[in-house]
Amino acid sequence: MKHVIIIVKYYLLQAGTEELIQEVPGLMHLKSYTGEEPRLTDIVLKHKPDVLIIHPDSLSAENASLPHKIYAHQNTNLIAIVRKNEKDRVSSDFSTVLFMEENKSVLEKKLREIMTSAGPNENNHKELSKREIVILKNIALGLTHQEIADKLFISIHTVNTHRKNINKKLGIKTVPGLIVYALLNHLIQMDEIKDKD
Amino acid sequence: MLIQKNMKLAEVIHHDHTLVPIINRFGIHLGFGNDNIAEICRKHKINIDFFVTILNAFHDAHYFPQKQLRNFPAALLIDYLQKAHHYFLDDKIPEIAGLINKMATEYALDKTTIGLLSNFFTGYSKELKKHIQYEEETIYPYVLALEKAQAERNPDKNPFVRVNNFSISDYETQHENVEEKLFDLKNIIIKYLPEPKDDKPGYRLLRELFTLDKELNEHARIEDLILVPKVKAMEKALKNKKE
């Protein structure tokens, strides 16, 4: 399942884009913004969308650099919506361009292609790797990322990457959630947990 | 559908029954008869524009209140938000905690698993409570002070100082953490619980969690759509007044 965020100022265009997303299996609409929200880049970064559909003219001056920042930070598929005659103005940060003049089936096809061009994080359905299980156990036991890095002789950066993959594979983000998962799957025992309350 | 004051409230509820807890917060209870919204509001001494705005904001995720519809006193809005908080903390949370405990017998979950779920949910409730407390103890008094300062000709300096040190924008992106925990809980139930003896209790719990999630999102939308813009306008007006 890929999460989609839409940034379009005009209501009709926004609603139409949402409707289109509903038609493509595997895409799920997460949120829509108008492009004028303050600090929108931070908000979008936090949501970590897989796909970001932007009508570039909707972005306020403050948010104009949003596409580039998202492109630089995250593994997000950037899609622009423009008119055909604006094609040359679309920045290279966007990997796909949808034209307003195009009919539904063409638009749908373009979005479907994104679904099939599997990105590197398309391992959602796989089980945790052995290494990830070790990391998960330690997180559930109450160790910080730094402590885990020291214990396993790896960099904190590597621990962070493992953690992100664990969150993604399990669909669980918070530490208490990971503890419950680890206990349910007998990766750790109840009496091993540090009592934090 | 845009809800308007000349519509019969009963028809509105037929169209969207999830509005029942909302009208309850205004003191309107089931069995309210055949009157339209304006008539019912008059009977209960409710500000009609405010009532209609709240109903629409809940009913339609795309609804955006027009400026004149934000012209009710902040105290009214805060009173409403506090009632909503009571609903979450005093009704919904205990209700769901009860469902989790019931699962022990009906779902045939062992003690440890139930303990895990109920601890997790307690942790979640604490966080929700903390967030609500922050709103009620920090944000709302600030908003009321702003409104008071705006009404006075020679407002005392206090809110000015606070406008300079603190702004409502600081508060806008605060709901995230609480949302993540609820999401995790839903996923644990959907994906990772042992197979049940009976399907019904799991579904009942899940349905309540999805409803809670939806209601909290709508609540946050009211804060973002109505409270925050209103306060921003007051902050701006007060800053101008000072200069």
Side-chain angles (χ1 to χ4, degrees):
Chain A
M1 189 80 83
K2 296 201 174 196
H3 290 135
V4 186
I5 286 187
I6 298 173
I7 305 177
V8 175
K9 182 164 57 181
Y10 305 116
Y11 169 73
L12 283 177
L13 189 55
Q14 190 185 83
T17 310
E18 285 170 14
E19 190 74 28
L20 181 69
I21 287 170
Q22 307 262 338
E23 302 280 329
V24 181
L27 289 186
M28 198 171 91
H29 175 232
L30 196 63
K31 287 217 158 128
S32 293
Y33 298 97
T34 65
E36 284 154 348
E37 293 83 357
R39 290 181 294 181
L40 186 57
T41 308
D42 295 335
I43 298 173
V44 172
L45 279 172
K46 235 183 225 171
H47 283 297
K48 302 187 182 69
D50 302 297
V51 180
L52 185 59
I53 303 183
I54 304 178
H55 172 244
D57 283 349
S58 291
L59 295 169
S60 66
E62 185 208 341
N63 294 326
S65 60
L66 183 143
H68 191 66
K69 283 184 188 151
I70 301 287
Y71 177 78
H73 278 94
Q74 269 173 11
N75 196 2
T76 298
N77 237 313
L78 285 161
I79 302 178
I81 307 181
V82 294
R83 291 178 190 282
K84 273 192 177 149
N85 60 17
E86 296 166 332
K87 187 168 70 181
D88 302 331
R89 293 203 284 125
V90 177
S91 92
S92 59
D93 301 324
F94 292 96
S95 58
T96 307
V97 182
L98 305 177
F99 295 117
M100 291 187 210
E101 291 88 344
E102 280 170 331
N103 65 30
K104 193 178 160 202
S105 59
V106 176
L107 293 167
E108 259 185 55
K109 201 174 145 232
K110 282 187 177 175
L111 289 180
R112 274 176 211 270
E113 275 164 13
I114 292 167
M115 285 306 299
T116 47
S117 67
N121 47 9
E122 249 331 88
N123 44 9
N124 285 357
H125 304 291
K126 285 186 195 148
E127 299 291 313
L128 296 180
S129 70
K130 276 183 189 156
R131 193 60 163 173
E132 283 162 352
I133 290 178
V134 174
I135 305 272
L136 171 62
K137 271 187 194 172
N138 283 296
I139 291 171
L141 291 174
L143 273 70
T144 65
H145 285 195
Q146 187 60 58
E147 286 167 342
I148 296 171
D150 295 343
K151 188 174 159 188
L152 302 177
F153 304 106
I154 53 180
S155 77
I156 184 153
H157 188 73
T158 310
V159 180
N160 290 339
T161 308
H162 282 306
R163 170 67 186 273
K164 270 185 210 154
N165 290 337
I166 293 169
N167 289 356
K168 204 157 200 158
K169 283 186 181 176
L170 298 182
I172 300 179
K173 284 185 191 163
T174 65
V175 175
L178 293 173
I179 295 176
V180 175
Y181 176 86
L183 285 164
L184 283 176
N185 289 279
H186 310 290
L187 299 176
I188 55 170
Q189 300 305 315
M190 195 64 123
D191 47 20
E192 291 178 87
I193 306 172
K194 283 189 213 162
D195 215 347
K196 279 196 167 176
D197 284 72
Chain B
M1 181 185 76
L2 183 68
I3 299 167
Q4 286 169 314
K5 60 184 172 189
N6 58 2
M7 289 177 172
K8 300 244 161 137
L9 187 56
E11 280 169 16
V12 173
I13 298 298
H14 268 293
H15 188 74
D16 181 359
H17 70 275
T18 63
L19 294 173
V20 169
I22 318 298
I23 67 167
N24 290 160
R25 272 168 227 167
F26 284 89
I28 303 170
H29 305 283
L30 292 179
F32 48 71
N34 208 22
D35 291 343
N36 71 28
I37 289 177
E39 288 158 348
I40 290 181
C41 281
R42 251 174 251 129
K43 214 180 277 173
H44 287 82
K45 299 195 170 60
I46 297 165
N47 181 317
I48 299 173
D49 285 340
F50 180 61
F51 184 71
V52 172
T53 306
I54 294 284
L55 287 190
N56 276 308
F58 267 91
H59 173 64
D60 175 7
H62 288 295
Y63 175 69
F64 195 82
Q66 291 156 304
K67 245 192 177 141
Q68 67 268 27
L69 284 180
R70 296 194 212 136
N71 277 344
F72 26 75
L76 206 60
L77 183 57
I78 286 175
D79 180 63
Y80 166 81
L81 291 171
Q82 279 174 327
K83 279 191 184 136
H85 289 164
H86 283 302
Y87 167 79
F88 290 127
L89 293 183
D90 303 338
D91 294 349
K92 287 328 262 187
I93 296 292
E95 203 178 309
I96 293 172
L99 278 180
I100 292 177
N101 287 331
K102 252 178 117 181
M103 300 246 301
T105 46
E106 293 180 27
Y107 202 100
L109 285 180
D110 60 287
K111 253 203 180 128
T112 328
T113 312
I114 284 296
L116 284 177
L117 282 185
S118 97
N119 274 343
F120 186 87
F121 189 69
T122 309
Y124 166 77
S125 332
K126 273 190 194 154
E127 205 151 308
L128 182 66
K129 203 168 180 176
K130 214 169 79 191
H131 174 71
I132 286 178
Q133 251 169 4
Y134 166 72
E135 291 185 345
E136 298 199 344
E137 287 166 13
T138 309
I139 303 288
Y140 298 169
Y142 167 70
V143 176
L144 292 174
L146 267 181
E147 185 163 65
K148 197 166 159 240
Q150 211 182 19
E152 284 166 6
R153 185 168 293 186
N154 295 310
D156 78 85
K157 279 180 253 145
N158 207 10
F160 284 140
V161 179
R162 288 167 82 174
V163 169
N164 289 331
N165 294 335
F166 165 89
S167 161
I168 194 75
S169 324
D170 299 335
Y171 144 87
E172 271 180 289
T173 43
Q174 280 245 345
H175 294 108
E176 307 268 320
N177 208 356
V178 190
E179 274 174 35
E180 277 187 355
K181 271 204 173 138
L182 192 53
F183 183 80
D184 283 1
L185 181 56
K186 289 191 291 191
N187 245 347
I188 288 168
I189 294 168
I190 297 171
K191 294 191 198 172
Y192 303 119
L193 280 191
E195 193 173 315
K197 186 173 71 180
D198 177 0
D199 289 321
K200 287 189 284 290
Y203 177 50
R204 213 178 301 143
L205 175 59
L206 205 53
R207 203 168 49 196
E208 282 302 319
L209 290 175
F210 273 100
T211 308
L212 178 67
D213 194 23
K214 177 171 168 279
E215 287 177 332
L216 283 171
N217 278 333
E218 285 159 345
H219 181 72
R221 200 164 68 227
I222 301 243
E223 293 172 336
D224 294 344
L225 278 186
I226 307 177
L227 183 69
V228 172
K230 189 171 177 59
V231 173
K232 276 187 178 161
M234 288 198 291
E235 282 178 344
K236 208 175 150 195
L238 209 54
K239 270 186 181 157
N240 290 342
K241 208 168 176 178
K242 193 186 168 192
E243 277 151 18

